[in-house]
Every structure is written in structure tokens, then in C-alpha cells.
Amino acid sequence: MESTEKKQDLETPKGDYGANNIQALEGLEAVRKRPGMYIGSTDTKGLHHLVWEVIDNSIDEHLAGHCTHIQTFINEDNSITVKDNGRGIPTGMHKKLQKSALEVVMTVLHAGGKFDKDTYKVSGGLHGVGVSCVNALSSLLTATVYRDGKIHEQAYSEGKPKEPVKQTGTTDVTGTTITFHPDAEIFETLVYKYDTLATRMKETAFLNSGLHLTLTDLRDLDEKGEPRFEEFYSEGGLLEFVTYLDESRTKLLDTPIHVSGKEENVEVEVAMSYNTSFKENLHSYVNNINTREGGTHVAGFRRAVNREFDKYAKDNGLFNKVKFKISGEDFREGLTAVISVKVPEPQFKGQTKGELGNSEVVGIVSRCVGEALKYFLEENPKLAKKIIDKVILAATARHAAHKAREMVQRKNVLTGSGLPGKLSDCTSKDPVDSEIFLVEGDSAGGTAKQGRDRMFQAILPLRGKILNVEKAMEHKIYENEEIKNMFTALGVSIEDKDGERVLNIEKLRYHKIVIMCDADIDGSHIVTLILTFFFRYMKPLIENGYIYIAAPPLYMVKKAKQFRYCWSEEERKEAVAAYSKGENDNSVKIQRYKGLGEMNAGQLWETTMDPDARILRQVTIPDAVEADRVFSMLMGDEVPPRRAFIEANAKYANVDV
Ligand code: 0RA
């Protein structure tokens, strides 16, 4: 940030907020000049970030004990309205700045008014930049405040007031309503996605039990003219969150273990459970913000889990027959946990500022969780035994997996280049320029090999359906031919580091990994299987933006010597209309491509592989909670949630006709 942020002492006693406590700190021009620095990006992610920024202020009101309902509306024109029943932004005169506090909150960066250390405000990361940032990036914003029996309003454009604050009426409620129109000059897209907002609100409801959040989409009306609407509310908070996360998994515990405590102004809340899967599934939050990269709170949690289970098992002789070392990871296989801490002055670090840095938090979380676990284990010897048996099973499986992995990785060294025989490699050895196509089936693989530019495009055909890694034991994965080929072709390996398994991508051979499958139901199933594998075993490749899905065309519309490829129904209709202008529609021919095999090498190149013409969809993980649930649901054991998910999403699927 261009100017430094200064904290100033509050003049009035704590808790008695008035107009004067809101400090003027920094101009808004900087925000419009470099929006990315404040909200991360100006793409769809940044667009949605605006909503969180406004809602976060309302949640602060909830945390302070003054707000129970937050209503969000996606208006018909893609503007957003957020309405809360908090105290309302103060509207009195700000002495130093000689204007209404409302105007100060809305037009001065970081003037949220909450610099009191006792409120849990985020001071780092991308959140907490303030509602004024949203204002700066909106072509129009209106704030309406219900407070002290009066209604006050002010409108702004690009963050500048259009008029002084004016009283528009009287009221017997309190709260704040903000409507904003994201600026088309700033954002690449202005279209809000219902699901993105809904998913995040669901999480927010779990993290703030007792808070009612609603989402209304006024763009989407049903036959009765009613807008799409959902309410998110959780009475049980994190306990319900863990149950929700494990909906598609087989449980070891009937009810999750719950921990809550407070030490040195740091609040700790954890809910954890065990299931029969082979993965740790951990989600962590600091002041309601998702910490994707973990940090000191996660370290403290892991430390406590390892220490308490290890001690309990040893004290009770449960490890007596185990012949190898139990590692930290073994205690956490099949563990699902949500860790939420509230830290007065959090320090964020890491690439995306998604990692908590405060070192004192390690000990605090470790003590809180340790104490609760010790108690749980002593009180529930049967469940404790169940979990320890699972830990021993995990350790046994890890040893088998380690051996299987070593076999694969050693064999590569012995066979020289070590590259799989099925790989048609590219000439370039620079990973930045190199692409690999993972192609469904040997025959499409052959066509792709003929059609490619061999300078920078490699082809690896995959035989039919690859292994469903969601259901398989880990050692089976390294014994699977297709998966082995992927590891060796990509040049990545799994290594043991400080007792954890980490993916080493230093020798990654391609920076574009393109999954290319048929455009039918089978093809999308194979894409899902491959993505599940990447998500569970090579997540850094997704996080670094290296994974793409190719989009072969669905139709070719042809008339005499003219032809056009089409990727959607709309494009097909357009092409047919263009070709049949004023003439008989019958000279126009439509070919539906179901498989890659229906195209020849030249067609495959010009539609799907040529960087100048193709459409590639980059795979991202916008929401870790949702991604985990969807993969476990689509690929896991439980049928009813899978059916519900497929039914709910059927209209988005590319149904084959
Ligand atoms: C400054 C001070 C106070 C509340 C707020 C801002 C506030 C901001 C927003 C944004 C959306 N909803 C909001 N609700 C409140 C404290 C007010 C007091 O002490 O009465």
C-alpha cells in the first residue's frame, strides 16, 4: 500500500463508539488505481469479494452482539443489496473532519471505526479493507442507516458523495442497508453467481451459530414469480459443520468432539470427527476468514492430536504389537476437523496471505485441544480404541504405500529416461512452454499425436476409466499403471518431509496439463476421475493453475464448402441461421461430435489443440469446503447425497441427446 496506516488512540471510553472515533487514514484514489492490491483481483473473484467485504461489517455487528439477520439480494441488474439489523453506522458529525461519520466510514479507507483491540477485526490479508473499498469500486452505492429513530441516506459514485447525508424519514428499527453497483470500468465481469455466494454463506452460517443469513436472487424467478431464495442458519455451529462435511463418509464417531476455550484474548473452537476414509480433511478459520494455508492455529491443533492420542495409546498398551513407527500423519487419517480461532491482532503470511503467523497461538490451541482430547479419551475408552485401531491401520497402509511408491520411483531411475512408453513427448524441454494432453483412449491418443505440434505438445493416452482414488487404498494407487504413468510423465514425486507426505513439483515437465476427453457422459465421468486424482494427490498442480480441461466442439455446421464449429446450442442455432439466410435450410448439415475419435487429426488440431483457436478451461478451487464435499460425494460410498447432488445440478450438466 502506498501510504502507511496509523492507529490512533481512541478518545472516548471503550464500547462507547461515537462519530469521533472513526479515523481518517488514506484516500480512495489508490483503490481505483490499483484495485488488485485491495480486493485481490478484478475478475469474478474480485467481484464476489465486494459482497464479503460488506457482509463482514455486518458480521462484526453480530460478533459484537448487535445483529441477528443479514439479508443479501442479487438485484435484477446484478447490483447487490446487503441489509442488516445491527446498530447502524453512526451518522453524527465527525468533529475533526467536519462531516457525517457515515460519510467518513464510506469514503475514507480503513475508517471502519473499529480499531478497538477487543473487537476481532482482521488487520492483514485481503479482508477487512473496508466498505469504503467497495464504494470506491462502485459506479453507484447507496447507504441507508436506521438509527436513533431516524433514517439517513447518502449516495456515492466511484466513492465520492453525490450529496450530503440527508434524513429521509423516521423508524423504530436499527440497521444498515447498502446497495452497490460494481463499476464496469473496473471489473472484467459484472455477473454474480448465485452458487458462489450461497456456498460461502453456508460456511459463514456454520461459523456464526445463531446468525440468520438469507440470499435472494431477483434475476431468477420461478413460475409463480417468486425469486430464488435460501436461508442459511446453524444452531449447532462447528458441530453441524463437521457433520455436513462428512455427510458422504462412513463415520467412526456418532457425534463429533467439540472443543471451546479462551486464553489471553484468543478464542478457540474446534469440532472434529473420524471417518473410514484415508485422508485428513481440515478447514481452518481466523476471525471467520478461511486460512487455506493453515498456520499456527493448525500447527497447535495437530500437535495436540498427535500428543494426546500417542500418549493415550502408549499408556494403555494399545501400540504394543505395532512393529513400525507411528507418524503424526497416522493420527490424522480419516480425521475431519474445523478449527476456528478469534485473534485480536492476526498476522497473515504466505503467498496468498492465507496462513496465520502469530506464534503464541500454537501453544494456546495446543493446550485447549489437548485438554479436551485427554478428557474425551478417558471418558470414552471404546471410542478411543476404535480410533487407535484406525491409526494402526493407517500406519500399516502408509508403510505399504511407501514401499509401492519407492518401487515406482526407483524403477524410473533404473530405466534411464524413466518416461512411460506410452508417452509421445515434445521436443521442448522447457516446462514453461510445454504442454501435455492426457487423452481418453488409445485411438484418440493416436489422432492427437498426429494432430499436435510436437515442438511443445506431448500426448499421454490413458486407458478407459482410471482408478477411483476416493475409494482405493493408497498403495493401490501407486500400483495402477495409468497413475504411475502420470507421475513419471509429469516428473513429480511424493516425498516424506518431516513425517508428512508432500508433492515435489520442482521437476514438473509441463506447465499446462490438459485433460482431453469425449464430450459425452462417459467423457465427463473420466474427467471427474482424473480431477479427483489431481485434487487428492497433486493438489499443488491445481493451486498453481497448471490443470486445464480441453473443450472439443459439440457440432460442425456445414453448407457446401463453408463450415463452422460450434461449442454450444446457441452457437449451433446462430450458425444454422447464418447459413440458411433466405435459402432452403436443407443445403445446411449438422454433425454432432460425440467423441474425439469422430474428428481427424487436422480437425482435432484446429478445434481443440491449436493455442490460437482452442478453448481451455482452467481448473481452480474457489471453495475448499465445497470441492472436498463434491469429490467425496461424487466418488464415495453413499448414494443418496450423490443422487440429490446430481438432481440439483442436472440442468447445468451437458446432457447428451
Ligand atoms: C462504525 C461504528 C459502528 C458500527 C459500524 C461502523 C457499522 C458498519 C456497518 C457496515 C454494514 N453494517 C454496519 N453496521 C455497523 C459502531 C456503532 C455504535 O457504537 O453504535
Short mmCIF file of all heavy atoms in Angstrom, two decimals, residues 120 238 258-271 285-287 296-298 300-301 304 338-344 356 360-370 372:
data_model
loop_
_atom_site.label_atom_id
_atom_site.label_comp_id
_atom_site.label_asym_id
_atom_site.label_seq_id
_atom_site.Cartn_x
_atom_site.Cartn_y
_atom_site.Cartn_z
N TYR A 120 -12.68 -8.34 17.17
CA TYR A 120 -11.82 -9.17 16.35
C TYR A 120 -11.87 -8.71 14.92
O TYR A 120 -12.64 -9.20 14.11
CB TYR A 120 -12.25 -10.63 16.47
CG TYR A 120 -12.13 -11.12 17.88
CD1 TYR A 120 -13.25 -11.46 18.63
CD2 TYR A 120 -10.88 -11.22 18.48
CE1 TYR A 120 -13.13 -11.90 19.93
CE2 TYR A 120 -10.75 -11.66 19.78
CZ TYR A 120 -11.88 -12.00 20.50
OH TYR A 120 -11.75 -12.44 21.78
N LEU A 238 -20.03 -25.32 14.62
CA LEU A 238 -18.99 -26.20 14.08
C LEU A 238 -19.36 -27.68 14.14
O LEU A 238 -18.96 -28.45 13.26
CB LEU A 238 -17.66 -25.98 14.82
CG LEU A 238 -17.02 -24.60 14.72
CD1 LEU A 238 -15.57 -24.65 15.18
CD2 LEU A 238 -17.09 -24.05 13.31
N HIS A 258 -16.16 -31.81 20.52
CA HIS A 258 -16.25 -30.36 20.48
C HIS A 258 -15.31 -29.74 21.51
O HIS A 258 -15.24 -30.20 22.64
CB HIS A 258 -17.69 -29.92 20.77
CG HIS A 258 -17.92 -28.48 20.54
ND1 HIS A 258 -18.34 -27.63 21.54
CD2 HIS A 258 -17.78 -27.71 19.43
CE1 HIS A 258 -18.44 -26.40 21.03
NE2 HIS A 258 -18.11 -26.43 19.76
N VAL A 259 -14.57 -28.72 21.10
CA VAL A 259 -13.63 -28.06 22.00
C VAL A 259 -13.91 -26.56 21.95
O VAL A 259 -14.03 -26.00 20.86
CB VAL A 259 -12.16 -28.25 21.52
CG1 VAL A 259 -11.19 -27.57 22.47
CG2 VAL A 259 -11.83 -29.73 21.35
N SER A 260 -14.01 -25.92 23.10
CA SER A 260 -14.01 -24.47 23.04
C SER A 260 -13.33 -23.92 24.28
O SER A 260 -13.41 -24.50 25.36
CB SER A 260 -15.43 -23.92 22.88
OG SER A 260 -16.09 -23.92 24.11
N GLY A 261 -12.57 -22.86 24.07
CA GLY A 261 -11.82 -22.30 25.19
C GLY A 261 -11.32 -20.92 24.86
O GLY A 261 -11.43 -20.44 23.72
N LYS A 262 -10.78 -20.26 25.86
CA LYS A 262 -10.25 -18.91 25.66
C LYS A 262 -9.01 -18.74 26.52
O LYS A 262 -8.98 -19.18 27.66
CB LYS A 262 -11.30 -17.88 26.06
CG LYS A 262 -10.92 -16.47 25.68
CD LYS A 262 -12.06 -15.49 25.90
CE LYS A 262 -11.56 -14.09 25.52
NZ LYS A 262 -12.62 -13.09 25.55
N GLU A 263 -7.99 -18.14 25.95
CA GLU A 263 -6.76 -17.89 26.69
C GLU A 263 -6.15 -16.62 26.12
O GLU A 263 -6.07 -16.48 24.89
CB GLU A 263 -5.81 -19.08 26.48
CG GLU A 263 -4.76 -19.24 27.55
CD GLU A 263 -3.83 -20.43 27.27
OE1 GLU A 263 -4.33 -21.58 27.31
OE2 GLU A 263 -2.65 -20.20 27.01
N GLU A 264 -5.72 -15.70 26.98
CA GLU A 264 -5.09 -14.44 26.53
C GLU A 264 -5.86 -13.79 25.38
O GLU A 264 -5.27 -13.43 24.36
CB GLU A 264 -3.68 -14.71 26.03
CG GLU A 264 -2.69 -15.10 27.10
CD GLU A 264 -1.39 -15.54 26.44
OE1 GLU A 264 -0.97 -14.86 25.49
OE2 GLU A 264 -0.83 -16.55 26.87
N ASN A 265 -7.17 -13.67 25.51
CA ASN A 265 -7.96 -13.00 24.47
C ASN A 265 -8.06 -13.74 23.15
O ASN A 265 -8.60 -13.21 22.18
CB ASN A 265 -7.42 -11.59 24.17
CG ASN A 265 -8.11 -10.57 25.02
OD1 ASN A 265 -9.23 -10.82 25.49
ND2 ASN A 265 -7.48 -9.44 25.24
N VAL A 266 -7.49 -14.95 23.08
CA VAL A 266 -7.64 -15.75 21.87
C VAL A 266 -8.73 -16.78 22.13
O VAL A 266 -8.65 -17.53 23.10
CB VAL A 266 -6.32 -16.46 21.49
CG1 VAL A 266 -6.53 -17.38 20.29
CG2 VAL A 266 -5.24 -15.43 21.17
N GLU A 267 -9.77 -16.78 21.30
CA GLU A 267 -10.84 -17.75 21.44
C GLU A 267 -10.59 -18.92 20.51
O GLU A 267 -10.22 -18.73 19.36
CB GLU A 267 -12.19 -17.12 21.05
CG GLU A 267 -12.82 -16.31 22.15
CD GLU A 267 -14.11 -15.65 21.68
OE1 GLU A 267 -14.82 -16.25 20.85
OE2 GLU A 267 -14.37 -14.53 22.14
N VAL A 268 -10.78 -20.13 21.05
CA VAL A 268 -10.53 -21.33 20.25
C VAL A 268 -11.79 -22.16 20.20
O VAL A 268 -12.41 -22.42 21.22
CB VAL A 268 -9.41 -22.19 20.90
CG1 VAL A 268 -9.14 -23.43 20.07
CG2 VAL A 268 -8.15 -21.37 21.08
N GLU A 269 -12.21 -22.56 18.99
CA GLU A 269 -13.31 -23.51 18.88
C GLU A 269 -12.94 -24.55 17.82
O GLU A 269 -12.49 -24.20 16.73
CB GLU A 269 -14.62 -22.81 18.51
CG GLU A 269 -15.80 -23.74 18.78
CD GLU A 269 -17.14 -23.24 18.24
OE1 GLU A 269 -17.22 -22.07 17.84
OE2 GLU A 269 -18.08 -24.05 18.22
N VAL A 270 -13.11 -25.82 18.19
CA VAL A 270 -12.78 -26.90 17.27
C VAL A 270 -13.88 -27.95 17.32
O VAL A 270 -14.41 -28.24 18.39
CB VAL A 270 -11.43 -27.57 17.68
CG1 VAL A 270 -11.16 -28.82 16.85
CG2 VAL A 270 -10.27 -26.60 17.56
N ALA A 271 -14.23 -28.51 16.17
CA ALA A 271 -15.06 -29.70 16.14
C ALA A 271 -14.34 -30.71 15.27
O ALA A 271 -13.77 -30.35 14.23
CB ALA A 271 -16.45 -29.41 15.58
N TYR A 285 -10.05 -21.44 10.20
CA TYR A 285 -10.52 -20.06 10.07
C TYR A 285 -9.92 -19.20 11.17
O TYR A 285 -9.73 -19.65 12.30
CB TYR A 285 -12.05 -20.00 10.19
CG TYR A 285 -12.74 -20.79 9.12
CD1 TYR A 285 -12.92 -22.18 9.27
CD2 TYR A 285 -13.20 -20.20 7.96
CE1 TYR A 285 -13.53 -22.93 8.27
CE2 TYR A 285 -13.81 -20.94 6.96
CZ TYR A 285 -13.97 -22.31 7.12
OH TYR A 285 -14.57 -23.05 6.14
N VAL A 286 -9.62 -17.96 10.80
CA VAL A 286 -9.20 -16.96 11.77
C VAL A 286 -10.16 -15.79 11.62
O VAL A 286 -10.28 -15.23 10.52
CB VAL A 286 -7.75 -16.50 11.51
CG1 VAL A 286 -7.37 -15.36 12.45
CG2 VAL A 286 -6.79 -17.67 11.68
N ASN A 287 -10.84 -15.43 12.68
CA ASN A 287 -11.82 -14.34 12.63
C ASN A 287 -12.78 -14.53 11.45
O ASN A 287 -13.07 -13.58 10.71
CB ASN A 287 -11.13 -12.97 12.53
CG ASN A 287 -10.19 -12.73 13.69
OD1 ASN A 287 -10.14 -13.54 14.63
ND2 ASN A 287 -9.46 -11.66 13.65
N THR A 296 -0.35 -21.17 12.44
CA THR A 296 -0.01 -21.55 13.81
C THR A 296 -1.19 -22.21 14.55
O THR A 296 -0.97 -23.07 15.40
CB THR A 296 0.47 -20.32 14.60
OG1 THR A 296 -0.48 -19.26 14.40
CG2 THR A 296 1.83 -19.87 14.12
N HIS A 297 -2.42 -21.85 14.20
CA HIS A 297 -3.56 -22.50 14.86
C HIS A 297 -3.67 -23.96 14.44
O HIS A 297 -3.94 -24.84 15.25
CB HIS A 297 -4.87 -21.75 14.59
CG HIS A 297 -5.17 -21.46 13.15
ND1 HIS A 297 -4.19 -21.29 12.20
CD2 HIS A 297 -6.35 -21.32 12.48
CE1 HIS A 297 -4.75 -21.05 11.03
NE2 HIS A 297 -6.06 -21.07 11.17
N VAL A 298 -3.38 -24.23 13.14
CA VAL A 298 -3.43 -25.60 12.64
C VAL A 298 -2.27 -26.40 13.24
O VAL A 298 -2.44 -27.56 13.66
CB VAL A 298 -3.38 -25.62 11.10
CG1 VAL A 298 -3.29 -27.04 10.59
CG2 VAL A 298 -4.61 -24.93 10.53
N GLY A 300 -0.87 -25.94 16.13
CA GLY A 300 -1.22 -26.22 17.52
C GLY A 300 -2.21 -27.37 17.64
O GLY A 300 -2.08 -28.23 18.51
N PHE A 301 -3.16 -27.38 16.72
CA PHE A 301 -4.17 -28.44 16.71
C PHE A 301 -3.52 -29.80 16.45
O PHE A 301 -3.73 -30.78 17.17
CB PHE A 301 -5.22 -28.14 15.64
CG PHE A 301 -6.16 -29.27 15.38
CD1 PHE A 301 -7.19 -29.56 16.27
CD2 PHE A 301 -6.02 -30.08 14.25
CE1 PHE A 301 -8.06 -30.63 16.04
CE2 PHE A 301 -6.88 -31.15 14.01
CZ PHE A 301 -7.90 -31.41 14.92
N ALA A 304 -1.51 -31.17 19.33
CA ALA A 304 -2.33 -31.72 20.41
C ALA A 304 -2.88 -33.10 20.03
O ALA A 304 -2.85 -34.03 20.85
CB ALA A 304 -3.47 -30.76 20.73
N VAL A 338 -12.79 -28.88 11.90
CA VAL A 338 -12.87 -27.46 11.62
C VAL A 338 -12.29 -26.73 12.83
O VAL A 338 -12.67 -26.99 13.96
CB VAL A 338 -14.32 -26.99 11.38
CG1 VAL A 338 -14.36 -25.50 11.10
CG2 VAL A 338 -14.96 -27.76 10.23
N ILE A 339 -11.34 -25.85 12.55
CA ILE A 339 -10.67 -25.10 13.61
C ILE A 339 -11.00 -23.63 13.40
O ILE A 339 -10.74 -23.09 12.33
CB ILE A 339 -9.15 -25.27 13.51
CG1 ILE A 339 -8.79 -26.76 13.57
CG2 ILE A 339 -8.42 -24.49 14.59
CD1 ILE A 339 -7.41 -27.04 13.05
N SER A 340 -11.58 -23.02 14.40
CA SER A 340 -11.90 -21.61 14.26
C SER A 340 -11.32 -20.86 15.46
O SER A 340 -11.61 -21.19 16.60
CB SER A 340 -13.43 -21.45 14.20
OG SER A 340 -13.78 -20.09 14.31
N VAL A 341 -10.45 -19.89 15.18
CA VAL A 341 -9.91 -19.08 16.27
C VAL A 341 -10.26 -17.62 16.04
O VAL A 341 -10.44 -17.17 14.91
CB VAL A 341 -8.38 -19.24 16.44
CG1 VAL A 341 -8.01 -20.66 16.85
CG2 VAL A 341 -7.63 -18.85 15.18
N LYS A 342 -10.37 -16.89 17.14
CA LYS A 342 -10.59 -15.45 17.05
C LYS A 342 -9.37 -14.82 17.70
O LYS A 342 -9.11 -15.05 18.89
CB LYS A 342 -11.87 -15.05 17.79
CG LYS A 342 -13.12 -15.79 17.28
CD LYS A 342 -13.90 -14.98 16.26
CE LYS A 342 -14.93 -15.80 15.52
NZ LYS A 342 -15.97 -16.37 16.36
N VAL A 343 -8.62 -14.08 16.92
CA VAL A 343 -7.37 -13.49 17.38
C VAL A 343 -7.48 -11.98 17.23
O VAL A 343 -7.80 -11.49 16.14
CB VAL A 343 -6.18 -14.02 16.53
CG1 VAL A 343 -4.86 -13.49 17.02
CG2 VAL A 343 -6.17 -15.55 16.53
N PRO A 344 -7.22 -11.20 18.31
CA PRO A 344 -7.40 -9.75 18.22
C PRO A 344 -6.56 -9.10 17.13
O PRO A 344 -7.05 -8.27 16.40
CB PRO A 344 -6.98 -9.26 19.60
CG PRO A 344 -7.08 -10.43 20.50
CD PRO A 344 -6.83 -11.64 19.66
N LEU A 356 -1.90 -18.13 9.09
CA LEU A 356 -1.79 -17.36 10.33
C LEU A 356 -0.36 -17.44 10.86
O LEU A 356 0.22 -18.52 10.95
CB LEU A 356 -2.77 -17.90 11.38
CG LEU A 356 -2.77 -17.11 12.70
CD1 LEU A 356 -3.32 -15.70 12.50
CD2 LEU A 356 -3.57 -17.84 13.78
N GLU A 360 2.17 -17.15 19.27
CA GLU A 360 1.58 -17.50 20.57
C GLU A 360 0.37 -18.42 20.42
O GLU A 360 -0.01 -19.13 21.35
CB GLU A 360 1.20 -16.23 21.34
CG GLU A 360 -0.03 -15.46 20.84
CD GLU A 360 0.22 -14.56 19.63
OE1 GLU A 360 1.31 -14.61 19.04
OE2 GLU A 360 -0.71 -13.79 19.26
N VAL A 361 -0.21 -18.43 19.22
CA VAL A 361 -1.44 -19.21 19.01
C VAL A 361 -1.18 -20.73 19.04
O VAL A 361 -2.05 -21.50 19.44
CB VAL A 361 -2.12 -18.78 17.68
CG1 VAL A 361 -3.31 -19.66 17.35
CG2 VAL A 361 -2.55 -17.32 17.78
N VAL A 362 0.05 -21.15 18.67
CA VAL A 362 0.38 -22.59 18.67
C VAL A 362 0.08 -23.18 20.04
O VAL A 362 -0.67 -24.15 20.18
CB VAL A 362 1.86 -22.86 18.32
CG1 VAL A 362 2.16 -24.35 18.32
CG2 VAL A 362 2.22 -22.25 16.98
N GLY A 363 0.68 -22.59 21.07
CA GLY A 363 0.54 -23.11 22.43
C GLY A 363 -0.88 -23.03 22.94
O GLY A 363 -1.38 -23.95 23.59
N ILE A 364 -1.55 -21.93 22.62
CA ILE A 364 -2.92 -21.73 23.11
C ILE A 364 -3.84 -22.81 22.56
O ILE A 364 -4.55 -23.49 23.30
CB ILE A 364 -3.43 -20.31 22.72
CG1 ILE A 364 -2.59 -19.25 23.45
CG2 ILE A 364 -4.91 -20.16 23.04
CD1 ILE A 364 -2.92 -17.82 23.08
N VAL A 365 -3.80 -23.02 21.23
CA VAL A 365 -4.67 -24.03 20.62
C VAL A 365 -4.27 -25.42 21.11
O VAL A 365 -5.13 -26.24 21.45
CB VAL A 365 -4.61 -23.96 19.07
CG1 VAL A 365 -5.42 -25.09 18.46
CG2 VAL A 365 -5.11 -22.62 18.58
N SER A 366 -2.96 -25.67 21.18
CA SER A 366 -2.49 -26.98 21.60
C SER A 366 -2.98 -27.30 23.01
O SER A 366 -3.39 -28.43 23.29
CB SER A 366 -0.97 -27.00 21.50
OG SER A 366 -0.47 -28.10 22.18
N ARG A 367 -2.94 -26.34 23.92
CA ARG A 367 -3.40 -26.58 25.30
C ARG A 367 -4.91 -26.81 25.35
O ARG A 367 -5.38 -27.76 25.98
CB ARG A 367 -3.02 -25.40 26.21
CG ARG A 367 -1.57 -25.47 26.68
CD ARG A 367 -1.30 -24.41 27.75
NE ARG A 367 -1.34 -23.03 27.21
CZ ARG A 367 -0.31 -22.44 26.60
NH1 ARG A 367 0.84 -23.08 26.45
NH2 ARG A 367 -0.40 -21.21 26.15
N CYS A 368 -5.68 -25.95 24.67
CA CYS A 368 -7.15 -26.09 24.69
C CYS A 368 -7.58 -27.44 24.14
O CYS A 368 -8.38 -28.15 24.74
CB CYS A 368 -7.81 -25.01 23.81
SG CYS A 368 -7.89 -23.42 24.60
N VAL A 369 -7.04 -27.78 22.96
CA VAL A 369 -7.45 -29.02 22.30
C VAL A 369 -6.94 -30.23 23.09
O VAL A 369 -7.65 -31.22 23.28
CB VAL A 369 -6.94 -29.07 20.83
CG1 VAL A 369 -7.26 -30.40 20.18
CG2 VAL A 369 -7.55 -27.93 20.03
N GLY A 370 -5.71 -30.13 23.58
CA GLY A 370 -5.10 -31.23 24.34
C GLY A 370 -5.93 -31.61 25.55
O GLY A 370 -6.22 -32.78 25.79
N ALA A 372 -9.10 -31.03 26.15
CA ALA A 372 -10.40 -31.60 25.78
C ALA A 372 -10.25 -33.04 25.29
O ALA A 372 -11.06 -33.91 25.61
CB ALA A 372 -11.07 -30.74 24.71
#
